[in-house]
Amino acid sequence: MTNYEEARRIILEKVAPAGVERVLLLEAVGRVLAEDFAAPKDMPRWDNSAMDGFAVRSADCSPGVILKVTDYIPAGVSSDDMVAPGCAARIMTGAPIPPGADAVVPIEETEAGAETVKLLHQVRKNDHIRFKGEDVACGEPVVAKGTVIGPPQVSLLASFSAMLVPVYRKVRVAILSTGDELVEVGTEPKDSQIVNSNTLAVAAAVKQCGADPVILGIARDNKESHLALLSEGLKADVLVTSAGVSAGDRDLVREVLAELGVVEQFWKPGIKPGGPTAFALKGKVPVFSLPGNPVSTMITFEEFARPAILRMMGHEKPFRRTVRGYLKEGAKKKAGKLNFLRVHVTIEDGRHIASTSGDQNTGILKTMLRCNALALLPADRTEFKAGEEVDLHILDQTLEMEA
Ligand code: AMP
Ligand code: MG
């Protein structure tokens, strides 16, 4: 039997970035840069003033000196006129330093006359000048392939006027729920019917990966319906199904996938919740067959499908941050499977303390609401004492910042 660690390794071995596209800079936010970006020019492109003030020859300057103002250089203008000895050019922030000048005196450190300026303080060569290439030199590798694009990367790329940037493309994730008992959201369920919440839960998780959900609807518990919708799903980049993956006689997902030429890589990866999860491949298309219980669906998506989708979109670190933390309460389990405990982690004295986020029965959906991490209870163990150290998969980014 494939265990949890092997299962995750198999998945990442079998998926690769789906492709590269050039998108408008703003569309690239949250996406992964697919090529190194080297500066095409120096930045700044010329020596320029860091302050509103006066461009001067530092050798002329001492406190109390009065210089003649012979030029005015606002931002967006450049002047070729030499600043002559005893003279100064009024200059605005960002404007190119005129020839002859080697320092800028901020306006606050002067007293202006009609056509003169009096200096109040000492001036040193290079004061308040931003030099050509001091931020980024031409050719410097500034944003590496694999970087997730955020505001600083957008700012830098935009400053070089890069309009389109190469990023790994988004993947389309087809989502199929299965079961005769299901009715769609918005329909009042009768008798023993159940509302199909999994489709939207998986779609929400797909969106959080930055990928595009493609909703296929509900396959009924017969082969025709499964064949039609599963083959539709295989046209996407990734297929995620829910329910119908156990060993019951109405559980048709694995059987029909096999008929469609999908090759199973593992089934039952030794975990709880999520025991009957299956992973298969049709060519490059990974197929995640997740159990139908909504808690199991979410946890198995999180642990198996999410890393694959992120890797397919170029993320170099597709796994959640794992930290060692401490159980607030003791726990018991059966030997044989790795258990995911839904926990609420707080940071106390720099330590991650994990307390249960509610009833751990897989039927209790509510326990997911306060859950900001999954605690991993190893397969071979049965009893855990309060205070024991365990691995935590941190689901909540705000917690990463507290740490
Ligand atoms: P199964 O994996 O088919 O045995 O389903 C396990 C449990 O999950 C059953 O109680 C189902 O009714 C429930 N379930 C299956 N599919 C969904 C779904 N799409 N949305 C919500 N619950 C579901
Ligand atoms: Mg079923």
Side-chain angles (χ1 to χ4, degrees), residues 177-178 181-182 194-199 242-244 246 251 291-294:
S177 288
T178 71
E181 75 275 35
L182 301 178
I194 288 193
V195 180
N196 172 19
S197 58
N198 281 348
T199 288
S242 89
S246 309
D251 290 336
N293 180 301

Side-chain angles (χ1 to χ4, degrees), residues 25-363:
L25 195 45
L26 209 49
E27 294 298 309
V29 175
R31 313 269 295 268
V32 179
L33 193 65
E35 291 167 20
D36 289 331
F37 179 84
K41 291 177 178 160
D42 281 323
M43 180 140 73
R45 300 208 309 281
W46 4 257
D47 296 351
N48 70 91
S49 177
M51 301 292 283
D52 292 335
F54 296 88
V56 298
R57 306 170 75 101
S58 58
D60 294 351
C61 300
S62 50
V65 153
I66 294 176
L67 301 171
K68 188 175 172 207
V69 179
T70 53
D71 203 356
Y72 171 56
I73 316 169
V77 167
S78 63
S79 173
D80 295 332
D81 294 344
M82 174 74 80
V83 176
C87 296
R90 194 162 155 72
I91 193 166
M92 298 297 130
T93 306
I97 302 294
D102 65 1
V104 169
V105 183
I107 204 151
E108 299 83 351
E109 297 178 14
T110 65
E111 263 173 35
E115 287 175 2
T116 58
V117 62
K118 181 177 179 185
L119 307 186
L120 303 178
H121 302 297
Q122 190 57 258
V123 178
R124 283 168 324 219
K125 186 174 176 192
N126 298 342
D127 274 357
H128 304 295
I129 294 180
R130 301 190 290 217
F131 289 96
K132 175 175 155 65
E134 79 169 18
D135 186 351
V136 180
C138 181
E140 187 179 325
V142 259
V143 192
K145 174 181 172 176
T147 304
V148 180
I149 306 288
Q153 289 74 23
V154 169
S155 177
L156 192 120
L157 291 160
S159 71
F160 286 110
S161 205
M163 192 168 71
L164 293 169
V165 289
V167 291
Y168 292 102
R169 74 170 177 83
K170 285 190 177 191
V171 296
R172 296 170 69 247
V173 182
I175 302 165
L176 180 65
S177 288
T178 71
D180 280 345
E181 75 275 35
L182 301 178
V183 295
E184 289 295 17
V185 175
T187 306
E188 193 56 43
K190 294 201 235 24
D191 304 329
S192 54
Q193 291 183 323
I194 288 193
V195 180
N196 172 19
S197 58
N198 281 348
T199 288
L200 294 186
V202 171
V206 166
K207 279 186 136 191
Q208 281 197 337
C209 294
D212 290 327
V214 178
I215 292 175
L216 298 177
I218 300 168
R220 297 307 173 185
D221 290 334
N222 62 73
K223 273 198 170 181
E224 298 68 42
S225 178
H226 274 60
L227 272 170
L229 287 165
L230 287 172
S231 46
E232 186 61 30
L234 291 171
K235 295 176 189 163
D237 298 305
V238 180
L239 171 57
V240 177
T241 69
S242 89
V245 74
S246 309
D249 55 4
R250 317 266 315 264
D251 290 336
L252 298 169
V253 171
R254 293 173 59 236
E255 180 185 332
V256 175
L257 283 173
E259 280 181 30
L260 289 167
V262 181
V263 183
E264 193 160 275
Q265 309 292 309
F266 66 75
W267 182 42
K268 299 190 173 175
I271 58 167
K272 186 178 185 304
T277 301
F279 172 64
L281 283 171
K282 167 91 182 191
K284 286 184 176 172
V285 179
V287 181
F288 296 89
S289 305
L290 311 181
N293 180 301
V295 170
S296 310
T297 311
M298 272 188 276
I299 290 180
T300 50
F301 181 95
E302 169 64 38
E303 293 288 332
F304 299 121
R306 181 181 181 276
I309 292 168
L310 291 180
R311 176 54 59 82
M312 291 175 79
M313 299 203 312
H315 287 266
E316 290 175 0
K317 291 183 178 167
F319 293 132
R320 297 285 192 185
R321 195 164 65 95
T322 301
V323 301
R324 295 291 279 173
Y326 302 87
L327 293 175
K328 183 98 174 173
E329 307 93 6
K332 281 187 182 170
K333 68 184 253 315
K334 288 190 193 142
K337 288 182 176 181
L338 177 117
N339 280 27
F340 296 107
L341 213 58
R342 285 159 278 163
V343 293
H344 182 84
V345 173
T346 52
I347 294 173
E348 291 165 28
D349 298 329
R351 288 153 48 116
H352 290 77
I353 307 296
S355 51
T356 173
S357 64
D359 185 339
Q360 295 292 324
N361 189 310
T362 45

